[in-house]
Amino acid sequence: MAEHNEGFVLTTVDSITNFVRRGIAAKAMDIGAPVVNWARKSALWPMTFGLACCAIEMMATGAGRFDIDRFGAGVFRPSPRQSDLIIIAGTVTLKMGPVVRRVFDQMPEPKWAIAMGACASTGGPFDSYSTMQGVDRTIPVDVYIPGCPPRPEALLYGLMRLQDIIMREAPSSYIFDSDGTARRQRTFDGEDQPQLAAANEVARIALATK
């Protein structure tokens, strides 16, 4: 008998099953990681989600001159349940923070997030009581794109950086780990991960500033 970290007792059969899933099946799945990750990075479906002026640049990226579809990311979906990428394009207010979190939570795993522009990354020039100083205070962000607003070429470069991150992930972490975050390398070696705050804290601040 083995004690699970959540308090309930696992039987011997469950212990053996978990060992097979994590020790054998996960490793077998990760053998095909290059192929799985290549398929994922080549068929990103962004969420149709724009907040401010950066969304205009995101629309231009999907148009014929820049053609984001060359990278397999031109199928903008109207529902978060059909999306695996959310591009936060614009200013995020504290009142909008819980909404962004709700949309992100409705997206199925695996999912990724891009903070497009200075406002989404750090709050931009709006150091005010109503503006969230970076969307990474409510959702985890994989790629930050500077600029006010960034040009479509910058968004394409950020997308390519995200594709590099996807190629370094372990596909089994989304299936055999309960939270879906284990072994997800969101940053490259030598880079610092952003500090994330809880979504309920953002909601509390939003309510306090009404």
Side-chain angles (χ1 to χ4, degrees):
M1 307 287 282
E3 182 71 19
H4 195 268
N5 56 5
E6 294 179 358
F8 61 88
V9 178
L10 297 175
T11 63
T12 304
V13 176
D14 291 334
S15 300
I16 296 174
T17 303
N18 288 335
F19 171 77
V20 172
R21 290 171 62 233
R22 297 177 182 273
I24 300 177
K27 293 181 179 178
M29 178 174 292
D30 289 340
I31 293 176
V35 177
V36 174
N37 290 336
W38 173 83
R40 286 175 173 171
K41 79 164 190 176
S42 301
L44 292 171
W45 285 9
M47 172 68 190
T48 305
F49 191 77
L51 294 175
C53 45
C54 282
I56 303 298
E57 300 295 324
M58 182 176 65
M59 297 174 197
T61 309
R65 180 176 180 182
F66 299 98
D67 194 12
I68 196 175
D69 217 1
R70 295 176 295 162
F71 301 90
V75 186
F76 284 85
R77 305 307 301 163
S79 170
R81 293 174 179 83
Q82 301 173 357
S83 308
D84 51 16
L85 169 63
I86 184 169
I87 302 174
I88 306 299
T91 309
V92 183
T93 61
L94 293 177
K95 187 177 289 187
M96 192 66 183
V99 179
V100 174
R101 181 70 192 196
R102 187 180 304 116
V103 172
F104 183 78
D105 288 341
Q106 290 176 353
M107 295 168 57
E109 289 282 357
K111 55 188 175 184
W112 302 274
I114 293 178
M116 181 181 178
C119 293
S121 299
T122 62
F126 306 108
D127 188 10
S128 63
Y129 70 94
S130 61
T131 304
M132 183 180 296
Q133 302 303 300
V135 73
D136 56 4
R137 295 175 180 267
T138 184
I139 65 173
V141 175
D142 297 282
V143 175
Y144 297 84
I145 302 176
C148 186
R151 284 185 53 81
E153 295 93 338
L155 178 57
L156 293 178
Y157 179 75
L159 179 65
M160 289 188 288
R161 288 284 290 178
L162 178 62
Q163 290 177 331
D164 293 338
I165 293 175
I166 293 174
M167 288 299 295
R168 297 159 61 94
E169 293 183 345
S172 63
S173 63
Y174 298 103
I175 300 176
F176 298 110
D177 295 309
S178 58
D179 57 357
T181 58
R183 291 174 289 168
R184 289 193 64 178
Q185 301 186 25
R186 295 185 177 275
T187 57
F188 291 99
D189 297 335
E191 295 180 345
D192 296 330
Q193 277 192 322
Q195 295 182 352
L196 305 179
N200 56 0
E201 179 67 15
V202 176
R204 186 189 67 79
I205 297 174
L207 292 175
T209 55
K210 284 187 177 179

